[in-house]
């Protein structure tokens, strides 16, 4: 019998925080976002070797972010109704195929197709990964979420280092090394998926929503729905604004400092790395502070 969300939460709290699973899914999050970071790390290589314009580089970034972000609610909607642990390794397999295409794509359009596969793999991973965090968090929601997010942010922060140590020496073919990241993620998920399946079987089946009985309850439910929708739209605007400047920094700042200050592409990665590393630190500290002082505060 499916249990309510409140009951599932109480079970999770009683069982405590499962740190092994938290760090495992955070590691997979790191590997997943590192695979996404391979795309932005290759921008200066693509610009030089394939003669891409800034507009074409922007289209690659747009394609990656649209497929990895816009598809996430679609996958989340489906997985809420029918959770599927097997989707986690499937998403990693899609990213692996995309990285192979990225390494050997001879044209701009094949680059875009490869990026679509990487984006879809990421979109599939995130909703199911968040549910794993939900079950493993116990009573430490802020810390659990920060551990999960730190993995992703750390993976993104590796892009400048990959440009320096892999893609400047090896060029576009260096993206093939990213396939090892996908393989490592699948290996880790072989430990996570059975545990996640057990949690779903025990107390994770989605509960059916009860229809309000009377007119007052119906009015209250509609009012609550409006408040929730307003809060979600406000959060969406905030995340959009934050992501706008973060994407601009991550994708184009390296070109700006190269052209403005005369730095080499390798040297231009250092300030970019500091920016991303500060995001990792802020995410981790934010989770600890949220548990200590409350998420609203």
């Amino acid at each position: 019998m499916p249990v309510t969300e409140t009951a599932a939460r109480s079970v999770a709290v009683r069982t405590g925080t499962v740190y092994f699973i938290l760090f495992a899914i955070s590691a997979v999050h790191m590997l997943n976002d590192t695979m996404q970071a391979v795309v932005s790390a290759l921008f200066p290589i693509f610009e030089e070797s394939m003669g891409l314009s800034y507009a074409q580089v922007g289209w690659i970034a747009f394609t990656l972010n649209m497929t990895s972000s816009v598809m996430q609610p679609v996958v989340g909607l489906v997985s809420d109704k029918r959770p599927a642990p097997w989707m986690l390794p499937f998403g990693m397999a899609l990213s692996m195929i995309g990285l192979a295409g990225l390494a050997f794509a001879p044209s701009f359009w094949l680059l875009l197709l490869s990026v679509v596969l990487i984006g879809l793999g990421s979109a599939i991973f995130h909703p199911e990964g968040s549910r794993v965090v939900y079950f493993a968090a116990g009573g430490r929601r802020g810390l659990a979420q920060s551990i999960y997010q730190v993995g992703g942010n750390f993976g993104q922060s590796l892009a400048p280092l990959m440009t320096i140590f892999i893609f400047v020496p090896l060029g576009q073919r260096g993206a093939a090394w990213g396939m090892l990241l996908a393989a490592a993620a699948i290996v880790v998920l072989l430990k996570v998926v059975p545990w996640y399946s057990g949690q779903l079987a025990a107390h994770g089946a989605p509960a059916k929503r009860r229809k309000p009985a009377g007119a007052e309850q119906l009015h209250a439910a509609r009012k609550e729905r409006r408040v929730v929708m307003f809060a979600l739209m406000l959060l969406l605007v905030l995340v959009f604004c934050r992501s706008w400047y973060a994407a601009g920094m991550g994708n184009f700042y390296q070109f700006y400092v190269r052209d403005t200050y005369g730095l080499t592409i390798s040297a231009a990665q250092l300030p970019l790395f500091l920016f991303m590393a500060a995001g990792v630190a802020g995410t981790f500290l934010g989770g600890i502070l949220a548990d200590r002082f409350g998420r609203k505060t």
Side-chain angles (χ1 to χ4, degrees), residues 112-133:
L112 285 183
L113 178 60
S114 302
V115 166
V116 166
L117 292 176
I118 296 173
L120 287 176
S122 179
I124 289 171
F125 164 75
H126 280 94
E128 292 291 345
S130 296
R131 187 177 285 109
V132 172
V133 174

Side-chain angles (χ1 to χ4, degrees), residues 141-143 145-146 282-292:
R141 300 273 170 198
L143 176 62
Q145 190 63 30
S146 69
T283 300
F284 183 69
L285 292 174
I288 295 176
L289 294 174
D291 281 339
R292 176 67 179 83

Side-chain angles (χ1 to χ4, degrees), residues 226-291:
R226 286 195 295 268
V227 172
V228 170
M229 289 302 298
F230 174 76
L232 285 175
M233 291 303 297
L234 184 61
L235 181 62
L236 183 63
V237 170
L238 292 173
V239 172
F240 178 84
C241 294
R242 181 262 177 196
S243 299
W244 181 284
Y245 76 77
M249 292 283 287
N251 293 327
F252 293 106
Y253 187 68
Q254 55 190 321
F255 298 114
Y256 171 76
V257 295
R258 181 196 65 181
D259 297 340
T260 304
Y261 300 108
L263 300 181
T264 64
I265 281 296
S266 295
Q269 306 306 310
L270 296 179
L272 185 57
F273 173 73
L274 291 174
F275 168 72
M276 294 182 171
V280 176
T283 300
F284 183 69
L285 292 174
I288 295 176
L289 294 174
D291 281 339

Side-chain angles (χ1 to χ4, degrees), residues 5-17 19 22 130-149 203 286-288 290-291 295:
E5 183 181 350
T6 303
R9 184 183 297 113
S10 66
V11 172
V13 171
R14 286 200 304 270
T15 56
T17 305
Y19 286 102
L22 277 180
S130 296
R131 187 177 285 109
V132 172
V133 174
Y134 172 81
F135 284 126
R140 308 200 66 182
R141 300 273 170 198
L143 176 62
Q145 190 63 30
S146 69
I147 290 174
Y148 178 62
Q149 289 300 128
H203 50 77
I288 295 176
D291 281 339
R295 286 182 285 276

Side-chain angles (χ1 to χ4, degrees), residues 5 16 25 37 57 59-60 63-64 66 72 75 84 92 124 129 139 144 171 177 186 195 218 220 248 252 261 273 281:
E5 183 181 350
I25 200 66
V57 169
W59 276 114
I60 294 174
T63 301
L64 176 65
M66 288 299 288
Q72 278 193 45
V75 176
M92 294 300 108
I124 289 171
W177 287 99
I186 292 173
W195 181 88
L218 181 61
F252 293 106
Y261 300 108
F273 173 73

Side-chain angles (χ1 to χ4, degrees), residues 29-258:
H29 196 190
M30 179 196 71
L31 294 168
N32 175 82
D33 283 26
T34 302
M35 287 185 279
Q36 285 189 269
V38 167
V39 179
S40 59
L42 279 166
F43 283 164
I45 309 303
F46 289 146
E47 184 211 23
E48 183 177 339
S49 64
M50 301 181 70
L52 300 186
S53 65
Y54 286 163
Q56 288 175 311
V57 169
W59 276 114
I60 294 174
F62 175 82
T63 301
L64 176 65
N65 286 292
M66 288 299 288
T67 51
S68 64
S69 300
V70 174
M71 287 301 296
Q72 278 193 45
V74 178
V75 176
L77 184 64
V78 174
S79 66
D80 277 343
K81 296 180 180 178
R82 196 174 289 229
W86 61 268
M87 291 291 283
L88 288 166
F90 177 73
M92 294 300 108
L94 281 182
S95 295
M96 180 184 288
I97 297 171
L99 286 165
L102 207 65
F104 301 103
S107 68
F108 172 69
W109 296 107
L110 287 176
L111 275 181
L112 285 183
L113 178 60
S114 302
V115 166
V116 166
L117 292 176
I118 296 173
L120 287 176
S122 179
I124 289 171
F125 164 75
H126 280 94
E128 292 291 345
S130 296
R131 187 177 285 109
V132 172
V133 174
Y134 172 81
F135 284 126
R140 308 200 66 182
R141 300 273 170 198
L143 176 62
Q145 190 63 30
S146 69
I147 290 174
Y148 178 62
Q149 289 300 128
V150 159
N153 287 2
F154 182 73
Q156 293 173 9
S157 72
L158 294 178
L161 301 182
M162 287 190 292
T163 301
I164 296 172
F165 297 112
I166 299 177
F167 300 129
V168 168
L170 300 180
Q172 181 180 347
R173 298 292 185 269
W177 287 99
M179 298 170 65
L180 296 177
L181 300 173
I186 292 173
V187 169
V188 175
L189 287 172
L190 292 178
K191 294 290 185 182
V192 174
V193 167
W195 181 88
Y196 176 31
S197 300
Q199 295 298 304
L200 288 173
H203 50 77
K208 295 181 179 179
R209 294 183 62 181
R210 294 182 179 180
K211 294 183 179 180
E216 291 185 3
Q217 289 182 337
L218 181 61
H219 176 73
R222 287 176 177 172
K223 184 178 179 181
E224 180 182 4
R225 191 178 299 115
R226 286 195 295 268
V227 172
V228 170
M229 289 302 298
F230 174 76
L232 285 175
M233 291 303 297
L234 184 61
L235 181 62
L236 183 63
V237 170
L238 292 173
V239 172
F240 178 84
C241 294
R242 181 262 177 196
S243 299
W244 181 284
Y245 76 77
M249 292 283 287
N251 293 327
F252 293 106
Y253 187 68
Q254 55 190 321
F255 298 114
Y256 171 76
V257 295
R258 181 196 65 181

